[in-house]
Amino acid sequence: QTDSPSAALPPGEERSEQFVLEVSEYFERLDAIHGNIRTAIAHIRKARIAPSTINAPPLGFVPPSFGVGLPEADASIAQGFQECRVERDAWKSIYEALIEKK
């Protein structure tokens, strides 16, 4: 027996019955997952979705954290809408602080 003494598992024949129940539950869940995957694939085929649209990104790809926004002409400074608002508010605060300092 490889279980710890505090495992609270039933002894003897009850232990075997519990094992059968656990394994049966595992395979039922596995069968349900298998069925769901097959259904999803059937829906994708029926919708004629191109495989290129569902391919995984290349290895090592890290998505940018630009938030929600429109792409800029210069991709190196592209910011999302939220980032633009934060930057605008920061510049407004700096401007107001400089005006008060005069």
Side-chain angles (χ1 to χ4, degrees):
Q1 182 172 343
T2 58
D3 300 322
S4 67
S6 63
L9 295 171
E13 193 63 32
E14 292 177 22
R15 184 182 181 90
S16 297
E17 290 173 7
Q18 183 176 355
F19 175 76
V20 169
L21 289 173
E22 296 288 335
V23 170
S24 296
E25 182 182 324
Y26 169 78
F27 280 109
E28 285 175 11
R29 186 172 297 149
L30 192 62
D31 189 44
I33 292 169
H34 180 248
N36 290 337
I37 290 172
R38 291 177 61 88
T39 302
I41 290 172
H43 287 299
I44 289 170
R45 286 183 179 156
K46 184 176 180 181
R48 295 181 173 240
I49 296 173
S52 61
T53 61
I54 56 175
N55 285 344
L59 186 64
F61 174 75
V62 177
S65 61
F66 294 141
V68 178
L70 298 173
E72 299 286 331
D74 183 4
S76 65
I77 59 169
Q79 289 181 324
F81 182 66
Q82 185 64 27
E83 286 83 2
C84 290
R85 289 179 62 190
V86 169
E87 185 176 7
R88 179 204 62 198
D89 293 344
W91 281 111
K92 282 174 65 177
S93 296
I94 291 171
Y95 175 77
E96 290 168 1
L98 289 173
I99 294 299
E100 288 179 14
K101 200 69 163 156
K102 282 185 172 185

